[in-house]
Structure formats: structure tokens, C-alpha cells
Amino acid sequence: MSTLVKDLTELLSSEQVSTNETVLHQHGQDESYHEVAEPEVVVFPKSTEEVSAILRYANEHCIPVTPYGRGSSLEAHVIPYSGGITIDFALMNRILSIRPEDLLVVVEPGVSRLELNEALAKHGLFFSVDPGADATLGGMVATNASGTTTVRYGVMRDQVRDLEVVLADGTVMNTGSLAAKSASGYHLNGLFAGSEGTLGCFTKLTLRVYGIPEHVMAARATFNTIEEAVQAVTTVLQVGIPIARVELVDEESIRQVNRHDEMDFEEKPTLFLEFHGNEAGLKQDVEFTTELMTDAGCQSIQFETETAARNHLWEARHNLAYSYIHSNPGKKMMVTDVCVPISELSGAIHHAREQLEAVGLVGGILGHVGDGNFHALVMVDMNDAKEVELSNQFNESIVHYALSKNGTCTGEHGVGIGKQKYQEAEHGEAYHAMKLIKKALDPNNILNPGKIVKVD
Amino acid sequence: MSTLVKDLTELLSSEQVSTNETVLHQHGQDESYHEVAEPEVVVFPKSTEEVSAILRYANEHCIPVTPYGRGSSLEAHVIPYSGGITIDFALMNRILSIRPEDLLVVVEPGVSRLELNEALAKHGLFFSVDPGADATLGGMVATNASGTTTVRYGVMRDQVRDLEVVLADGTVMNTGSLAAKSASGYHLNGLFAGSEGTLGCFTKLTLRVYGIPEHVMAARATFNTIEEAVQAVTTVLQVGIPIARVELVDEESIRQVNRHDEMDFEEKPTLFLEFHGNEAGLKQDVEFTTELMTDAGCQSIQFETETAARNHLWEARHNLAYSYIHSNPGKKMMVTDVCVPISELSGAIHHAREQLEAVGLVGGILGHVGDGNFHALVMVDMNDAKEVELSNQFNESIVHYALSKNGTCTGEHGVGIGKQKYQEAEHGEAYHAMKLIKKALDPNNILNPGKIVKVD
């Protein structure tokens, strides 16, 4: 047994410290195509005090520490390329309190979003951020996750009211309060949300929740061109219709779903929409939306209010990723994630489609079009050096286009390792300021080193 | 002419540098009761380059720099207690671009919110944050201003998409991009918004704007007790009715307005509400709200849609501060600004009312009740040491109550000097982290020294 493992076993208990090969391997990967790298040891703390003890120890001995939720990240956030200790928050998974009057919950970082939603439903409440995967809430705050509902309810950072954070040296602090707004101190909630474990480990999260909407209506609308679909969404947002979700799927991807799932969706650029509100308001929103979309060139539009019918209407969108994965056995999915101002979205998608055709890889485009965030999916054989190189070139070309339009290299997947190389190009002098902050809060660079900022 | 003034005149031009006594005096105060302190010199830069040159110079010579908008702050943010240079952004007041498709504007920091709204109206757009005063947008970002519409549209920080910032050493950087969402880098937008000029000076702001709502409806509702009024708002928010404004005014303040303005508003705790949306949706929202409020003990409720009638309905709320000021000549208004979780709001207001009666000063209570933020106004004769002491005790008692309920000492007015003494009590270990950030970004402590954090 190494000194490290022995010391950690003394700080915790033997069943909370693992060097089991399967456990190490599981904590050496995420859901992405990035290279596997294992930690030296995985620990499973049960309390803030234990997390603090681990960090104090690691800081004294300059041992890298990587926090881990469920490993559903897509840019290698949780892969410990410098080895050291991985902290798995699986045992810190209690919902500590639900405060319906304050529309707040307090949870430990290991609770997943579906677990939370199950508990909230009894109170007529729901948690709004839906990144697809059933990630832990700690991981979702760490990566500033978002998804289909962001156009209405905001990103993960917008839901954070307070975080209990353990800093590199073991200090425990709170980044916020329970007040709905504050002009006190620096905005540490915002700084720590999205910091990907590089500034501290979260041990308690106070998050905003919402009342389940009275009525929900889903829609699917087809267009002849992506430009028309994007223009339709722009107009609807401009007049202030509060769409809850609006997703774009290109015709290539609809074709893929039809082929794989034996469906017969119309093979055109398609918008999937959802509206939340009261019955009368939704009716008027839907009428106005139909009018605006028709003016923008909409070819067909269908609405559904019943849950089953709504789900059926959205099926092509939901099945998209799996359809690509199952149709391409042995290949890994690489996903781009740029976000551009919405006025630049048509152009950016057009460019992505051209590049996709140029590299000749199988793939499609889908977008959280209300935010200007879109994904180009490509299926890559990771053992084929040429395919890997082409997919990297493709990703780079998409990123450079987005940056040239004053967009960002990552709308929601985060930096991790995959987008590290674009940080300086995107942030310029601000990247230097980020390094100063990292150095000030983690002088020994033990916290998820190499992610977001590279310090010397 | 001092060396400082001579050097600045060389960097800028003589008409951009002032040591005129009236100018110095104007820049030595804000709208609050705080002590006056004049800068050594006031400069009026016209460009980012000039701001950068001023800061580079000040940093080399360790001269304090205080940024200044229109001096409407309430906690002495702009008062240069360490002397040095005040940068007045009056000449950087251009609206650089309006992007209706992206729902964004780019402005210089000296543009005021009413100037912006005038320009936006032509495009069917509006800027949502309304702190009362016609402050500059630079100042509003610096203090993370908010106000009556925050319950629906968020605080100033929520509107910031990008800031061009000049750091202490003259470096120019951008904190964001034009993308609606981003998971790239640390969240510098959030860190710099609300930093009160202590981390950098803003030279360009990219801000979010909204489509003017199709329909607006105003309401006024009276209750027998503040508890019932707060409970009514809690219920309405919990079911997700998207109120655009909801203000509480206590009966003492209604009485004050009646007396001063010869009105006959019912002298009961009163809610002033506003709803934004489509016509059918508003109708249903209003019906549901009436039902919920009646269940919560509402005694009377009136609705208006026409602009003039809406304004009349809200008159008592709008006139409140002036009514107190004009009825108490020679006295200054001191305003508390705590924010608590909404479940604690009734208790906090009850406590404030008790304290107000105990100290025996003239005053009233009004609140942005949807956010849990309320103000207790007291009229103070600043030459009467006893009154000043009582009002300070009153303020402290309100703050300590709020902190004991996990609230904040300031919901929207900011820290400045007035709330500096509560920073350590409110933030605990996080206050230390804030100091580390301040030292990392402004090692010579030249930027608005003594505000928010005190560094050695």
C-alpha cells in the first residue's frame, strides 16, 4: 500500500478509499472520445469535513485532486491526466431540504437531476436544467451545464443561489446566501459555477427550482431551409413569446432517424418547440407563433398538449444521438459545441454543413437555436488516424468560425481538455486574468490541473 | 499645477482635466448621507485608449482611481476617500450599436438608462433594469443595480453579455462574447459586474434588451396585514405566474403620501403589481392572481391597462421617497437594503417596523417583495448626533436580522463604504477569497480603494 493510500485510509475509512483496478479505470474516462488516464486512488467522502481533510492533505503534499460526479462530461473534465486523487461524490447524495416558499432546494453534490426532480414533483416543483444525461448536480454546476430549456429558464449558473465550497487548502466557505438577489461582495457564485473543479470542490448546493407549469404545449415545424427556420425563431424571440424549448434538427439527421428507426418524418430542416404557461396565454402564443412562422416560410406545423402525443412529436429529436451511435458501431461520437450571436447562426450552420461535406464524415447538425448554440455530430473511428485528424480539423474549423463572429468555443459542454487549446484565442488578455485568479485561489495548482487554464 | 495634473494634461488634453473647485466638490459626494471627500483631480476620457493611459500612469505612481457615472449611488461608491483621480465617463456616452436580431446593444459606460430606452423604443425594444434614478449604465453594471422589474427580468448582472474592461495596469480585456451562453473560461462577466470599480474600469458594455411586451396590466391590492400581503405574493410566485413587478408599501407610508399629496389611498399594506404578456394570457393570469390573493386575505384589488390609468394606480408607490423628503426639510434619507429568503420576509419587515418604532424616527417600509428585498427609509438630521446614532443602530439591527436568516446586507444598493463593515460578517471565509482576487487583479490597490474589500 502506498503512503498516499495509507494516509487517506487514516483520514477516512478503508471502505472509502479504493485502488481497485475496475474503479480506477471507471474514473479514468468520461463519455467522450478523449484518452483514458487513471487516478492513483479514488476516495468516497461522506461529509464536508472529510472533503476538507482530503484537500488539506493533498495541498500539503501537492497531490492533484479531480472531483467526479457520474463521468458524463464530454470534454475530459473528470479525466485525471496528472494522476493523484479522484474524489467521487457518490456517497454525498442527500437532498437536505426543499423550501417550496423560497423556490429553493439544498442538496449534496452527488444527487442527480432526475433524483431531484422525482423529489420535487411531490411539491408541484421541478428543476429546470436538462443537459440530456442524468448527471449529478455537482457536476452540472461545475461545468455550467445547460440544454433544451435554457432559452426560457437559463443555464446552471443562473440556478445557483449558494455553494458550500472547499478550497484547495481545505478552507470551507459559502459563495452566496439564501437571498434571491444580492449586491454584496464579489459574485463568487458565478465564478465557481463553471470552474470545472479547478477552484474548489462543492459540498452543498442551494439551487433555484420552479413551479410545474400549468400547461405545456409541444410543436414541430418544418422549413425548406435552415435559414428560414432560424429566421422564424429570431422573429418569435424578438416579439417576446416565451418559448420554453426550441431545437433545430437538420434534414440529414431527420433522414438518419427515419432510416434507423423506420420512421417517416418529413426530411426537411425541422424545429421542435415547447411552450409553458396558462391555457389561454398558450393558445394566443401558439396562434401568434404559427402566424410568424408561416410568414418566415414554415411548410407545416403540428401542435400537441397531451404528454404522450408531445413525446411522440419530439421523438426524432430525442432519438437523434442514439440513432447515429447505433448506426455506426465501433465509432465514437465527437460533438462540436459552439455558440454564436443568433444573427450569425444561419451562417455558422451553413459553414458547418459545408465543412462536414468537405471532410466526408457521417454526421448531422442540431441546435439549441434560441441560444445560438448548435452541435455538429460526427462519427469517428478512433483507430483510424485519418478520421481522427479530419474530425479534429472539422472541430477546429467550426470553433474558428464561431470565434471570428464573436461567439464562444463552447456553449454548454465546457472546456475540460478538449477546448483548452482555444482559451487563449477566445479570451485574449482575459485568459491572463483567469490565470491570476486560479493562482490566487489554488497556488499549488492541485485542483484539476490542466483544465480551463494552464498555469506554470 | 501639481505634477499629477500636469502629467494627466499631457496624457489627455487640458479641457479633459479639471481641478475646478465646483467640479471637485460635485465628484466628492453621491446621493447618500455619507461624508463628502474630494478627489485631487477629475478627468474626462473620450476613449478606451485614454482610460488605459490614465490607469497605467496611476498604477505606476500608485495613485488611487475612482470611476464616476452620475453620482446617484447610495453607499458612497464614488466618493474618493483616498483622494487621487476621479474618472468621469460623461464624454464616453455613445450608443455604439443596436442589434435587434440578437436582442443586444453595445454602449459606452456614460450612456444613461433613459437615453438607451429612448433609442431602443424605435426598434420596439426596451432595457429592463429600473433602479429609479437615471443612472449611467456603467454605474449600474458596477453596482449590479436592480429594481422593480427584477422579479421578472433579473438584475443588472443578468443583462451583461460582455464588458470591455481596463485593468489596474492599463491592460484592456473583454470579459465575455456575443454568445447568449458560454461554458468557456471563468465567468468574468459576473465577477466584474458588481465590482464597484475595484477590479477595473468599464469602457464598453454589451447588454441584453427585450421586446416591448404586447400588453401591460397594472394592479393595486390592499391587505389587512403585511403577513397576508407577503403570503399572497409567495403563492402567486409559487404557481409560476410571471409577475413583472410587485412592490409592497406599508400603511405608514401610504398615510405619509396621503398627507403630503392630499390623496385618499386606503391606509393599509398595499401591493403594486404589473403583468407583461399577451392579452389572453394576462386576462387569465389576472383572474388566477385575484383568486389567489382573495384566498390570502386581499381586501380590494383594482386593475388598469391604459398607460395613464396604470400610472395613476401606481402613484402612491412612485411618490413615496419624494413625499418623505419634502415633508422633512433639512433631513437626509437613510435607506436600509437587506434581502432575505421570501419565507423570512414577513418576519424581517415586522422586525424592521418594531425597530423603527423603538428608535422613534420618521420612516416607512417598502419592498421589492418578489425578491425578498425591502427598504426601510428613515429621515435623519445629520447635525443631530443622537439621530445619526439611532439611525445607524437601526440600520445595523436590520442587517444583523437579515444575516441571521441567511440573507444579505444589500440587495441592490451595493457595498461602497456603507456596507463595508458587514462584509466579513456576511461572507466569512469567502471574504478572504475576495481579498485574494482583489490582490491578484489590483496588486497596488489603486482601484476605488477601501470599497467592498479592505486589503492591507
Side-chain angles (χ1 to χ4, degrees):
Chain A
M1 198 190 283
S2 72
T3 316
L4 171 60
V5 175
K6 202 166 132 279
D7 289 347
L8 288 170
T9 308
E10 265 169 38
L11 286 177
L12 308 167
S13 64
S14 57
E15 68 268 27
Q16 288 173 270
V17 181
S18 178
T19 51
N20 173 295
E21 194 40 57
T22 313
V23 172
L24 294 183
H25 188 69
Q26 180 208 341
H27 291 82
Q29 56 189 312
D30 65 4
E31 289 185 5
S32 73
Y33 60 95
H34 291 288
E35 210 178 324
V36 173
E38 294 179 7
E40 218 170 314
V41 54
V42 180
V43 293
F44 299 85
K46 293 182 182 173
S47 67
T48 304
E49 293 67 33
E50 290 185 350
V51 175
S52 172
I54 296 162
L55 285 178
R56 208 164 41 237
Y57 172 85
N59 196 44
E60 274 162 20
H61 298 81
C62 290
I63 299 166
V65 173
T66 307
Y68 182 98
R70 290 199 175 169
S72 55
S73 63
L74 294 173
E75 294 292 6
H77 303 74
V78 298
I79 304 182
Y81 290 110
S82 312
I85 305 165
T86 284
I87 303 184
D88 185 319
F89 286 94
L91 302 183
M92 291 180 71
N93 64 343
R94 290 174 303 164
I95 296 174
L96 299 172
S97 79
I98 297 180
R99 299 171 63 126
E101 283 202 336
D102 295 316
L103 294 168
L104 289 178
V105 293
V106 186
V107 300
E108 291 185 323
V111 176
S112 84
R113 67 177 184 93
L114 293 181
E115 287 161 5
L116 177 60
N117 266 325
E118 201 184 318
L120 288 174
K122 293 170 211 150
H123 301 270
L125 301 171
F126 78 107
F127 182 72
S128 63
V129 183
D130 173 5
D134 186 25
T136 63
L137 293 160
M140 286 171 68
V141 173
T143 54
N144 191 27
S146 58
T148 54
T149 58
T150 295
V151 65
R152 171 74 178 266
Y153 299 95
V155 299
M156 201 64 199
R157 181 177 284 124
D158 299 319
Q159 320 308 325
V160 174
R161 187 67 55 86
D162 184 28
L163 301 172
E164 184 183 81
V165 176
V166 183
L167 296 175
D169 65 0
T171 301
V172 181
M173 69 170 201
N174 283 74
T175 56
S177 69
L178 294 187
K181 68 180 202 188
S182 176
S184 183
Y186 296 141
H187 191 50
L188 298 185
N189 278 342
L191 182 64
F192 280 82
S195 63
E196 301 185 355
T198 65
L199 299 179
C201 290
F202 310 149
T203 44
K204 242 177 245 171
L205 324 166
T206 304
L207 303 172
R208 198 175 163 184
V209 297
Y210 298 83
I212 293 173
E214 203 184 323
H215 278 263
V216 175
M217 189 174 283
R220 188 174 64 211
T222 60
F223 294 80
N224 283 331
T225 66
I226 282 181
E227 286 72 16
E228 286 174 346
V230 171
Q231 187 52 51
V233 175
T234 306
T235 313
V236 170
L237 291 175
Q238 241 176 305
V239 302
I241 297 174
I243 301 182
R245 304 184 200 241
V246 52
E247 299 286 298
L248 173 71
V249 175
D250 74 343
E251 57 193 299
E252 193 54 43
S253 302
I254 299 280
R255 199 169 297 136
Q256 164 68 31
V257 172
N258 279 347
R259 242 186 342 244
H260 179 260
D261 300 344
E262 298 180 6
M263 304 298 276
D264 59 350
F265 296 112
E266 217 180 335
E267 290 175 359
K268 283 181 182 295
T270 304
L271 290 178
F272 296 81
L273 300 111
E274 200 170 278
F275 301 83
H276 297 174
N278 69 43
E279 200 174 357
L282 280 198
K283 193 162 167 286
Q284 192 165 335
D285 280 346
V286 157
E287 279 164 21
F288 196 14
T289 301
T290 307
E291 198 181 299
L292 294 170
M293 294 228 164
T294 306
D295 287 353
C298 177
Q299 298 295 300
S300 71
I301 184 161
Q302 280 175 274
F303 290 94
E304 296 289 356
T305 50
E306 294 307 312
T307 308
R310 284 195 336 246
N311 289 342
H312 181 65
L313 205 66
W314 268 64
E315 218 170 340
R317 169 64 185 85
H318 288 312
N319 295 351
L320 191 57
Y322 288 107
S323 169
Y324 273 112
I325 291 166
H326 293 155
S327 303
N328 294 278
K331 296 200 174 195
K332 288 261 191 186
M333 181 179 272
M334 181 190 270
V335 190
T336 75
D337 178 42
V338 297
C339 188
V340 294
I342 199 165
S343 61
E344 299 289 351
L345 185 59
S346 285
I349 293 178
H350 186 75
H351 167 265
R353 168 55 61 198
E354 274 181 355
Q355 293 299 309
L356 195 53
E357 275 157 26
V359 295
L361 293 169
V362 174
I365 291 168
L366 78 161
H368 308 310
V369 67
D371 307 315
N373 178 211
F374 73 93
H375 306 302
L377 322 173
V378 288
M379 301 309 303
V380 188
D381 180 350
M382 297 306 288
N383 297 317
D384 179 333
K386 178 106 182 80
E387 277 203 12
V388 172
E389 199 200 315
L390 281 174
S391 64
N392 281 330
Q393 275 173 20
F394 174 68
N395 205 334
E396 266 187 39
S397 148
I398 304 272
V399 168
H400 288 305
Y401 186 95
L403 295 185
S404 77
K405 302 302 179 187
N406 221 328
T408 175
C409 67
T410 171
E412 56 182 23
H413 293 169
V415 178
I417 285 298
K419 297 297 188 298
Q420 214 291 318
K421 60 185 164 191
Y422 305 119
Q423 292 302 291
E424 189 144 18
E426 175 166 342
H427 299 293
E429 287 290 347
Y431 182 62
H432 181 64
M434 292 174 194
K435 281 191 191 182
L436 292 176
I437 292 169
K438 165 75 173 173
K439 283 182 185 169
L441 295 177
D442 178 19
N444 294 335
N445 193 25
I446 64 159
L447 290 167
N448 212 357
K451 313 293 164 61
I452 301 189
V453 290
K454 271 204 176 129
V455 292
D456 322 317
Chain B
M1 199 189 282
S2 70
T3 317
L4 170 61
V5 174
K6 201 165 132 283
D7 289 347
L8 288 170
T9 307
E10 265 168 38
L11 285 178
L12 307 169
S13 65
S14 56
E15 68 269 26
Q16 288 174 271
V17 181
S18 177
T19 52
N20 173 296
E21 194 40 56
T22 313
V23 172
L24 294 183
H25 188 69
Q26 181 209 340
H27 290 83
Q29 56 190 310
D30 66 3
E31 289 185 5
S32 73
Y33 60 94
H34 292 286
E35 210 178 324
V36 173
E38 294 179 6
E40 217 171 315
V41 55
V42 180
V43 292
F44 298 85
K46 293 181 182 173
S47 67
T48 304
E49 292 68 32
E50 289 186 349
V51 176
S52 173
I54 297 162
L55 285 179
R56 205 163 44 237
Y57 172 86
N59 197 45
E60 274 163 19
H61 298 82
C62 290
I63 299 166
V65 173
T66 307
Y68 183 98
R70 289 198 176 169
S72 54
S73 63
L74 294 172
E75 295 292 5
H77 303 71
V78 297
I79 305 182
Y81 290 110
S82 311
I85 305 166
T86 283
I87 304 185
D88 185 319
F89 286 93
L91 302 183
M92 291 181 72
N93 64 344
R94 292 175 302 165
I95 295 173
L96 299 172
S97 80
I98 297 179
R99 300 171 63 125
E101 282 201 336
D102 295 316
L103 294 169
L104 288 179
V105 293
V106 185
V107 299
E108 290 186 323
V111 175
S112 84
R113 68 174 183 94
L114 293 180
E115 286 162 6
L116 177 60
N117 266 325
E118 201 184 319
L120 288 174
K122 292 169 211 149
H123 301 270
L125 301 171
F126 80 107
F127 182 72
S128 64
V129 183
D130 173 5
D134 186 24
T136 63
L137 293 160
M140 286 171 67
V141 174
T143 55
N144 190 27
S146 58
T148 54
T149 57
T150 295
V151 65
R152 172 75 179 265
Y153 299 96
V155 299
M156 201 64 197
R157 181 177 284 125
D158 300 318
Q159 320 309 325
V160 174
R161 186 67 56 86
D162 184 28
L163 301 171
E164 185 183 80
V165 176
V166 184
L167 295 174
D169 65 0
T171 301
V172 181
M173 69 170 201
N174 284 74
T175 56
S177 70
L178 295 187
K181 67 180 199 188
S182 175
S184 182
Y186 295 141
H187 189 51
L188 298 184
N189 279 341
L191 182 65
F192 280 82
S195 64
E196 301 185 356
T198 65
L199 299 180
C201 289
F202 310 150
T203 44
K204 241 177 245 170
L205 325 167
T206 304
L207 303 172
R208 196 174 165 187
V209 297
Y210 298 83
I212 293 173
E214 203 185 323
H215 278 262
V216 175
M217 189 174 283
R220 188 173 64 211
T222 60
F223 294 80
N224 283 332
T225 66
I226 282 180
E227 286 72 17
E228 286 174 346
V230 171
Q231 188 51 52
V233 174
T234 306
T235 313
V236 169
L237 291 175
Q238 243 176 305
V239 302
I241 297 173
I243 302 181
R245 304 183 200 242
V246 52
E247 298 286 298
L248 173 72
V249 175
D250 73 343
E251 57 191 299
E252 193 55 44
S253 302
I254 299 280
R255 199 170 296 137
Q256 164 67 31
V257 172
N258 278 347
R259 241 185 344 244
H260 180 260
D261 299 345
E262 296 179 7
M263 305 298 275
D264 59 350
F265 296 112
E266 217 181 334
E267 291 176 358
K268 281 180 184 297
T270 304
L271 291 178
F272 297 81
L273 300 112
E274 201 171 276
F275 301 82
H276 297 174
N278 70 41
E279 201 174 357
L282 280 198
K283 195 161 165 285
Q284 191 165 337
D285 280 347
V286 157
E287 278 165 22
F288 196 15
T289 301
T290 306
E291 198 181 298
L292 294 170
M293 294 227 165
T294 306
D295 287 351
C298 177
Q299 297 296 300
S300 70
I301 185 161
Q302 279 175 277
F303 290 94
E304 296 288 356
T305 50
E306 294 306 312
T307 309
R310 282 193 341 243
N311 289 342
H312 181 65
L313 205 66
W314 268 65
E315 217 170 341
R317 168 63 185 88
H318 288 313
N319 295 351
L320 190 58
Y322 288 107
S323 169
Y324 273 111
I325 291 166
H326 293 156
S327 303
N328 294 279
K331 296 199 175 196
K332 288 261 191 187
M333 182 179 272
M334 181 190 272
V335 190
T336 74
D337 179 41
V338 296
C339 188
V340 294
I342 199 166
S343 61
E344 299 288 351
L345 186 60
S346 286
I349 292 178
H350 186 74
H351 167 265
R353 168 55 61 197
E354 274 181 356
Q355 293 298 309
L356 195 53
E357 274 156 27
V359 296
L361 293 169
V362 174
I365 291 169
L366 78 161
H368 308 310
V369 66
D371 307 314
N373 178 212
F374 73 93
H375 306 303
L377 323 171
V378 287
M379 301 309 301
V380 188
D381 179 349
M382 296 306 286
N383 297 318
D384 181 333
K386 178 107 184 79
E387 275 201 14
V388 172
E389 199 200 314
L390 282 174
S391 64
N392 281 330
Q393 276 173 19
F394 174 68
N395 205 334
E396 266 186 41
S397 148
I398 304 271
V399 168
H400 287 304
Y401 185 94
L403 295 186
S404 78
K405 303 301 178 188
N406 222 327
T408 176
C409 67
T410 172
E412 57 183 21
H413 294 170
V415 178
I417 284 299
K419 297 296 188 297
Q420 214 291 318
K421 60 185 163 191
Y422 305 119
Q423 291 303 289
E424 189 145 19
E426 176 167 343
H427 300 292
E429 286 290 348
Y431 182 61
H432 181 65
M434 293 174 194
K435 281 190 190 182
L436 293 176
I437 292 169
K438 165 74 173 173
K439 283 181 187 170
L441 295 176
D442 177 20
N444 294 335
N445 192 25
I446 63 158
L447 290 167
N448 212 357
K451 312 292 163 63
I452 302 190
V453 290
K454 271 203 175 129
V455 293
D456 322 317

